[in-house]
């Protein structure tokens, strides 16, 4: 590889990593416009392994907006990102795949006063609402567009979940 190709590859990897991080932030913050903007116009998402829906990203975003109301506090931790760029004979192509593990702790909606702060200054819930944990692996398929890298498909492969009080 030449230095120019090496630099392009590094820039692609950084841009792809930003899209994956943007996904976690959009879902955690409930920013469904940002979520939709991360996808190609024909992009799809599949949450069926976690008991959810599969379909066009715009429709899945509507489902997520409704479903995530049950979890007013959520935090995706997306780790072990394995980025595979399309290789066009030593030059990066216009598609990529990312496999990444996730742990997703969330707080279920409580019957009491809602989210508050515990005595240690951390997130707590005066209602005693339970915590819900899910973990597994994402497969992200991406395409280079005029706007930059975008998801053509997001697939959740949930491996385990746990409810604690």
């Amino acid at each position: 590889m030449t230095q120019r190709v090496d630099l392009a590859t590094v820039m692609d990897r950084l841009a792809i990593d930003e899209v994956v991080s943007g996904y976690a932030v959009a879902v955690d913050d409930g920013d469904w416009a940002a979520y939709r903007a991360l996808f190609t116009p024909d992009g799809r998402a599949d949450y069926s392994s976690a008991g959810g829906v599969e379909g066009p990203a715009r429709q899945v975003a509507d489902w997520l907006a409704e479903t995530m109301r049950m979890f007013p506090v959520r935090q995706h931790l997306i780790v072990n990102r394995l980025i595979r760029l399309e290789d066009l004979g030593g030059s990066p192509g216009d598609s990529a795949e990312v496999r990444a593990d996730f742990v997703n702790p969330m707080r279920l909606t409580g019957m009491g006063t809602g989210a508050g702060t515990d005595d240690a200054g951390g997130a707590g819930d005066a209602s005693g609402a339970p915590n819900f944990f899910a973990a597994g692996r994402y497969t992200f398929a991406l395409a280079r567009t005029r706007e930059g890298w975008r998801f053509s498909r997001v697939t959740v492969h949930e491996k385990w979940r746990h409810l604690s009080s």
Side-chain angles (χ1 to χ4, degrees), residues 36-112:
R36 289 178 185 94
L38 294 169
F39 286 83
T40 61
D42 61 345
R44 298 183 69 82
D46 182 354
Y47 293 82
S48 58
S49 79
V53 299
E54 187 280 332
R58 295 189 178 288
Q59 292 176 5
V60 172
D62 294 339
W63 172 81
L64 281 169
E66 185 63 31
T67 302
M68 289 298 113
R69 289 181 186 183
M70 292 187 304
F71 306 100
V73 178
R74 48 194 182 263
Q75 182 178 26
H76 280 74
L77 306 172
I78 302 178
V79 299
N80 300 335
R81 300 171 193 213
L82 181 59
I83 300 172
R84 298 282 188 223
L85 289 165
E86 177 185 26
D87 184 352
L88 299 176
S91 297
D94 293 333
S95 65
E97 182 178 278
V98 178
R99 287 187 359 199
D101 295 329
F102 71 89
V103 176
N104 184 14
M106 299 182 283
R107 169 82 45 147
L108 283 160
T109 302
M111 301 296 287

